[in-house]
Amino acid sequence: MRLYATQTSPYARKVRIALQEKAIPCTVEWVNLRDPDHPALTHNPLGKIPVLLRNDGSAVYDSAVIIQYLEVLYPDPPLLPLDPDARLEALRIEALAGGIMDATVSWVLEQRRATDCQDPDVLQRARGKVLAALAVLQEETRLWVDAATAPVLSLAQIATVAAVGYVDLRAPDCLPQFPELMTWMHAMRLRPSVRDTWPQ
Ligand SMILES: N[C@@H](CCC(=O)N[C@@H](CS)C(=O)NCC(=O)O)C(=O)O
């Protein structure tokens, strides 16, 4: 299998951590999203990464679908609980973390516009979403004190690491008001799958 990714994409990082946690062999190919002919475009008409290319040549996207595919193909060790309520809860946290990624990307794109073209409402709304969702994730991490040394990370934890890591990269001033979340993230750096995928 081959994964098209960039080193900073939080969506791709979620998949990269899952691959490493499950010890699934996969070649990672870095993509330059500014290249109008980048290879992921051949497989995903939206031109977005991550894209997982299966050995039969078919493609799987987006990150949530790729994780579900990996979970079916390699059920051991599981990233999701079997209990329906616990499973739903994990998927909710994955969606919340995905929302942080989306809102941070919107904030970054708006910031990159010329100052006089930036819409303060867009900036404020995006930042408000990030802060509100980080507060919820901080509550979740209180239950995950042993995650750094657990046998395997859960999908909820993986998605949290990817989302908070991306905020740390792009909007680090959002984080100091969440000291427990930052402490948890710091501890998670001990884990090879987290350390090896740290955005550069
Ligand atoms: N919902 C998608 C989002 C993927 C996404 O937006 N990826 C960004 C990189 S961080 C991308 O490929 N952007 C290029 C583009 O939109 O053309 C997922 O979870 O995979």
Side-chain angles (χ1 to χ4, degrees):
M1 290 195 297
R2 178 174 295 263
L3 180 75
Y4 294 105
T6 65
Q7 269 161 333
T8 54
S9 166
Y11 311 97
R13 188 178 185 204
K14 192 172 67 172
V15 175
R16 289 163 61 210
I17 296 175
L19 285 166
Q20 197 163 331
E21 288 289 327
K22 281 176 165 290
I24 299 173
C26 182
T27 305
V28 177
E29 184 170 327
W30 303 123
V31 166
N32 176 4
L33 290 173
R34 294 204 178 99
D35 176 354
D37 297 320
H38 69 73
L41 263 173
T42 319
H43 306 289
N44 178 355
L46 300 173
K48 290 180 185 289
I49 53 92
V51 175
L52 184 76
L53 198 58
R54 296 167 68 194
N55 291 336
D56 67 1
S58 61
V60 186
Y61 51 86
D62 62 12
S63 62
V65 181
I66 296 172
I67 301 266
Q68 292 300 324
Y69 171 70
L70 295 177
E71 196 69 353
V72 170
L73 196 65
Y74 296 88
D76 251 356
L79 305 181
L80 278 161
L82 285 177
D83 172 74
D85 284 343
R87 199 176 178 92
L88 197 62
E89 184 60 9
L91 294 174
R92 179 184 67 79
I93 295 170
E94 184 193 20
L96 186 69
I100 292 178
M101 298 172 195
D102 296 345
T104 306
V105 168
S106 303
W107 186 82
V108 168
L109 293 179
E110 194 63 24
Q111 281 273 345
R112 283 185 185 159
R113 290 156 62 95
T115 317
D116 55 342
C117 296
Q118 290 176 11
D119 183 339
D121 283 349
V122 170
L123 288 170
Q124 202 185 347
R125 260 202 312 276
R127 202 179 166 86
K129 287 178 190 184
V130 171
L131 294 176
L134 286 174
V136 176
L137 287 188
Q138 177 164 261
E139 289 301 312
E140 299 294 338
T141 58
R142 292 202 172 123
L143 306 171
W144 299 338
V145 277
D146 297 329
T149 52
V152 68
L153 290 183
S154 68
L155 175 57
Q157 293 162 346
I158 291 171
T160 298
V161 164
V164 179
Y166 191 61
V167 176
D168 190 29
L169 181 73
R170 299 294 191 217
D173 57 311
C174 287
L175 289 177
Q177 58 187 291
F178 302 106
E180 290 169 58
L181 184 58
M182 287 178 80
T183 303
W184 184 80
M185 276 297 280
H186 188 73
M188 292 302 286
R189 284 188 88 138
L190 288 173
R191 204 168 176 97
S193 65
V194 174
R195 203 175 47 233
D196 296 351
T197 58
W198 205 263
Q200 309 289 338

